[in-house]
Amino acid sequence: MKLFVIRHGESIGNTKRGFMSGKSDPDGLSGKGKVQVIRLAWELRKVKFSRIISSPVARAKDTAKILSINNSDSITTNESFSELDHGILEGHYWWESQIVNKIPKNWRKTHREDWITPYPQGESIKDMCLRVWDGLEELLAVIGNHEKVALVTHQAPMAAIKYRIRQGKNTKSGRDVLNYIHKKHYPTASAFLITKQSGKYSIQNINDKF
């Protein structure tokens, strides 16, 4: 079994510093992002995925479509691997006055970086992690022993996936997970590989091979 976990290419939202694309993302990939994914598709051309699973967010679906051109015609979307829902911040710069004034002051001061408090009208980091971990468990259970699958997702879900594979279900604390997610960074159009041998999963970093 091989599961290639892939971050989408650069999006137009990524080029807007302070802009919260999140799950809404009306614009999809930038020109540079499309080139990044074309290069990634070339690097992975010999893998021959049996299927490609994508977050339903535009930048991820754009990435999956490019990857499929010379690889696999089977693309399905899975909400489990969507980006964190930033609630009322979605589709806005975080400093916009009409948005800032809608955010409770105590959230801005004490809850923005915690584990359990959701973004106003959105998700918490815990919500996102549990969603991703449930989706990952379901996905790993149905991938065949000789199957090669691509999963196109986002920065935070990728960190959550890597944490769960390396730590298992023995999560030390919400703060531990939160610190792990904040420290991990995956360049756009990068990937890591999950394999299974003798009943155990392991991760291979493959960014440096591209």
Side-chain angles (χ1 to χ4, degrees), residues 167-180:
Q167 302 294 331
K169 293 187 176 181
N170 299 318
T171 302
K172 296 178 182 178
S173 68
R175 174 55 58 181
D176 183 62
V177 181
L178 194 64
N179 289 341
Y180 186 92

Side-chain angles (χ1 to χ4, degrees), residues 25-210:
D25 185 23
D27 300 315
L29 294 180
S30 66
K32 178 181 176 180
K34 292 174 182 177
V35 172
Q36 289 176 333
V37 181
I38 289 169
R39 179 171 182 260
L40 176 65
W42 172 255
E43 296 291 349
L44 297 177
R45 67 193 181 281
K46 295 181 181 179
V47 175
K48 299 301 177 187
F49 300 121
S50 57
R51 51 191 163 134
I52 299 173
I53 299 164
S54 173
S55 153
V57 179
R59 56 191 180 275
K61 290 196 294 184
D62 289 350
T63 298
K65 288 177 184 177
I66 296 172
L67 288 173
S68 73
I69 292 173
N70 290 315
N71 208 309
S72 172
D73 293 329
S74 176
I75 301 176
T76 57
T77 57
N78 189 325
E79 179 66 32
S80 296
F81 304 106
S82 184
E83 181 59 286
L84 176 71
D85 185 346
H86 294 90
I88 62 175
L89 291 169
E90 292 273 330
H92 297 277
Y93 291 94
W94 64 263
W95 60 75
E96 289 180 30
S97 58
Q98 67 268 36
I99 299 302
V100 170
N101 292 334
K102 292 180 181 179
I103 298 173
K105 291 183 179 180
N106 66 326
W107 184 88
R108 293 202 302 266
K109 291 181 179 179
T110 61
H111 295 308
R112 187 179 177 189
E113 296 296 325
D114 76 14
W115 166 245
I116 61 172
T117 305
Y119 278 78
Q121 300 178 28
E123 287 182 302
S124 67
I125 301 295
K126 181 179 181 180
D127 293 333
M128 184 273 296
C129 285
L130 293 178
R131 164 170 58 79
V132 170
W133 291 342
D134 286 346
L136 178 65
E137 190 169 330
E138 292 173 4
L139 177 58
L140 291 175
V142 299
I143 298 178
N145 290 336
H146 303 290
E147 206 174 355
K148 298 173 183 177
V149 176
L151 170 60
V152 183
T153 183
H154 308 267
Q155 164 71 28
M158 286 180 75
I161 288 169
K162 183 171 279 191
Y163 182 93
R164 178 46 63 98
I165 292 296
R166 290 191 165 163
Q167 302 294 331
K169 293 187 176 181
N170 299 318
T171 302
K172 296 178 182 178
S173 68
R175 174 55 58 181
D176 183 62
V177 181
L178 194 64
N179 289 341
Y180 186 92
I181 289 174
H182 283 170
K183 289 178 182 178
K184 290 294 177 181
H185 176 71
Y186 305 96
T188 47
S190 66
F192 59 79
L193 172 63
I194 299 174
T195 57
K196 183 179 182 182
Q197 292 183 337
S198 302
K200 294 184 178 181
Y201 294 104
S202 60
I203 289 180
Q204 175 185 350
N205 291 315
I206 56 176
N207 294 349
D208 57 348
K209 297 184 183 299
F210 299 157

